[in-house]
Amino acid sequence: DSGVTQTPKHLITATGQRVTLRCSPRSGDLSVYWYQQSLDQGLQFLIQYYNGEERAKGNILERFSAQQFPDLHSELNLSSLELGDSALYFCASSGGGTGADTEAFFGQGTRLTVV
Amino acid sequence: QKEVEQDPGPLSVPEGAIVSLNCTYSNSAFQYFMWYRQYSRKGPELLMYTYSSGNKEDGRFTAQVDKSSKYISLFIRDSQPSDSATYLCAMSYTGGFKTIFGAGTRLFVKA
């Protein structure tokens, strides 16, 4: 068990809908990262938050947004969902906000299926 | 061209074999090099990381980084069926925050 908790584990929704994925980082970790993993794209970095502030942005679509709350949990909001958004969404956390996330711990992921 | 290239496999070996997994990359600014292992339906877990060039050994696992060739390797000695998983290489920049992952290589170790 990595200590990173993601909910829900599975989500099935229709095109055009909006969903929220939740992540609770390891106790004491200030950084939260979101990744998308699909069969044809591999693991893609979406966004990083450090202590409530956005720190780095990857290939995150404008339809997607995230935030980190004062208790350090994070939410990833996906709107106007398309079939191509079906993927595994991982959250990871690490202790520091500077340098590389060399020791990031991943949650079990949320499997999103858009029908 | 992708920043990180990794052969997706699958790679099938008999138990006890030495496994070699490799990645190439194009950006010479990468300084941190990591290997993650991902079991089916689970999140990736960090196996090893190396800063800059050189070798690092941890039990049956050895990571090598050759920055001059932009090539990294993970060797698994005495492979076990429990090593069957997808292995992802990853790398990031000094002072940077985002990590770039390879596509992952699926490894099967047959008993």
Side-chain angles (χ1 to χ4, degrees):
Chain A
D1 184 1
S2 67
V4 178
T5 304
Q6 288 187 248
T7 56
K9 286 189 171 53
H10 303 278
L11 198 50
I12 301 175
T13 190
T15 54
Q17 295 298 304
R18 172 189 169 95
V19 297
T20 297
L21 313 183
R22 183 187 168 99
C23 170
S24 294
R26 289 191 322 154
S27 177
D29 282 356
L30 299 178
S31 278
V32 168
Y33 314 80
W34 286 98
Y35 291 87
Q36 180 192 57
Q37 187 176 40
S38 55
L39 280 175
D40 58 345
Q41 292 292 325
L43 203 59
Q44 300 286 316
F45 169 76
L46 295 178
I47 197 164
Q48 179 201 0
Y49 277 82
Y50 174 73
N51 203 20
E53 293 188 5
E54 182 183 305
R55 183 57 68 93
K57 219 167 189 176
N59 300 322
I60 188 166
L61 299 172
E62 286 193 14
R63 300 183 285 109
F64 296 0
S65 64
Q67 54 184 327
Q68 187 179 27
F69 295 87
D71 66 353
L72 301 177
H73 91 271
S74 178
E75 292 181 355
L76 179 67
N77 300 296
L78 314 177
S79 61
S80 302
L81 285 167
E82 302 174 359
L83 295 178
D85 297 327
S86 296
L88 265 170
Y89 290 84
F90 285 106
C91 167
S93 75
S94 68
T98 60
D101 50 336
T102 55
E103 296 186 83
F105 294 84
F106 282 77
Q108 296 298 297
T110 293
R111 183 174 294 278
L112 173 66
T113 303
V114 182
V115 297
Chain B
Q1 182 189 10
K2 290 184 178 179
E3 282 190 280
V4 178
E5 298 278 0
Q6 182 176 13
D7 186 339
L11 179 62
S12 184
V13 301
E15 183 176 357
I18 296 175
V19 176
S20 172
L21 304 167
N22 312 293
C23 288
T24 58
Y25 62 95
S26 57
N27 193 332
S28 57
F30 287 134
Q31 292 284 352
Y32 294 87
F33 303 91
M34 288 78 77
W35 285 96
Y36 284 81
R37 177 175 62 195
Q38 185 177 20
Y39 291 112
S40 181
R41 302 178 184 278
K42 302 289 188 183
E45 56 176 327
L46 180 67
L47 272 179
M48 301 180 72
Y49 82 90
T50 309
Y51 174 71
S52 194
S53 283
N55 294 357
K56 190 170 185 178
E57 190 173 318
D58 184 2
R60 296 185 295 111
F61 297 89
T62 300
Q64 287 186 352
V65 175
D66 181 350
K67 292 192 71 182
S68 62
S69 301
K70 298 190 180 70
Y71 189 87
I72 69 171
S73 301
L74 177 70
F75 297 96
I76 307 174
R77 290 182 298 280
D78 187 25
S79 56
Q80 304 294 310
S82 59
D83 295 327
S84 297
T86 297
Y87 290 79
L88 301 112
C89 64
M91 44 201 80
S92 60
Y93 314 92
T94 298
F97 306 106
K98 64 178 183 178
T99 300
I100 311 296
F101 283 82
T105 300
R106 293 186 67 192
L107 171 67
F108 296 97
V109 181
K110 298 173 293 186

